[in-house]
Amino acid sequence: MADPARARKLAVRIRQIVSATIEHQIKDPRLGMVTITDARVTSDLREATVFYTVFGDAAQAEDSAKALASATGVLRSTVGKQTGIKFVPSLAFVADMVPDTARELDAALERVRHADAELARIREGASYAGDADPYRRPAEDDEDEEEAGATALDSADDSADDLPARTRSAS
């Protein structure tokens, strides 16, 4: 097992080399506007996965995938020459779906923004179906509650005084 930092550095270097080689050396007419987005190397440095995107429709993406598959040998030998490592990792090209997913998320967020704006527009002239405060409150004011509480305490004191008097008169 190699050091994870070494694997990351090799992945970055492979991404740079493959990108430059595609741009300057590969002359396949099927190869469209390809962008190398990422590369990942296994921890044993034996396999590298190169992620790419293609600007264009599905047919151009398919043609570019075929062109990259046919240029794998040239790209691997170029990586071996420029990195100077003992064992050159095998290259696998995988279409990167992150940009497509990002476009779908952007479209979904835009639909949500429009729906939210429409809801806000509808809500502007709306009023509550019932009272603004749907919770029931006692009809008494706060001052009346304090007076009622004081009166209840006074009557409780009076009844407590009456209780021992009754017990005394019974004996």
Side-chain angles (χ1 to χ4, degrees):
M1 295 285 174
D3 182 30
R6 182 175 182 210
R8 282 192 305 271
K9 288 178 185 177
L10 182 61
V12 169
R13 185 71 182 128
I14 288 173
R15 186 185 70 211
Q16 293 169 347
I17 293 169
V18 169
S19 177
T21 305
I22 288 173
E23 185 178 349
H24 297 295
Q25 290 181 358
I26 306 297
K27 302 297 181 192
D28 195 335
R30 298 177 293 176
L31 197 60
M33 303 242 335
V34 175
T35 302
I36 304 300
T37 56
D38 195 16
R40 295 191 183 143
V41 178
T42 58
S43 60
D44 61 356
L45 305 179
R46 298 288 181 169
E47 298 173 3
T49 305
V50 180
F51 296 93
Y52 68 94
T53 59
V54 178
F55 183 74
D57 60 357
Q60 289 174 335
E62 186 177 324
D63 289 342
S64 295
K66 290 177 184 175
L68 286 172
S70 68
T72 301
V74 174
L75 292 169
R76 185 174 180 211
S77 65
T78 305
V79 167
K81 289 175 188 172
Q82 292 188 14
T83 57
I85 56 177
K86 182 176 181 180
F87 183 81
V88 179
S90 61
L91 299 178
F93 290 94
V94 176
D96 196 358
M97 294 299 160
V98 171
D100 296 334
T101 306
R103 276 192 290 277
E104 290 172 7
L105 286 175
D106 285 341
L109 287 173
E110 191 61 32
R111 286 193 305 269
V112 169
R113 280 189 202 104
H114 286 299
D116 194 31
E118 179 68 20
L119 184 62
R121 187 186 62 76
I122 291 171
R123 198 176 356 176
E124 283 179 5
S127 62
Y128 291 106
D131 293 333
D133 186 10
Y135 300 106
R136 292 186 182 178
R137 305 249 186 252
E140 300 173 345
D141 293 329
D142 290 336
E143 294 173 6
D144 293 338
E145 289 178 10
E146 290 175 7
E147 291 174 7
T151 308
L153 287 177
D154 292 340
S155 64
D157 291 338
D158 292 340
S159 63
D161 292 337
D162 292 340
L163 183 62
R166 287 187 208 153
T167 54
R168 285 186 223 144
S169 62
S171 40

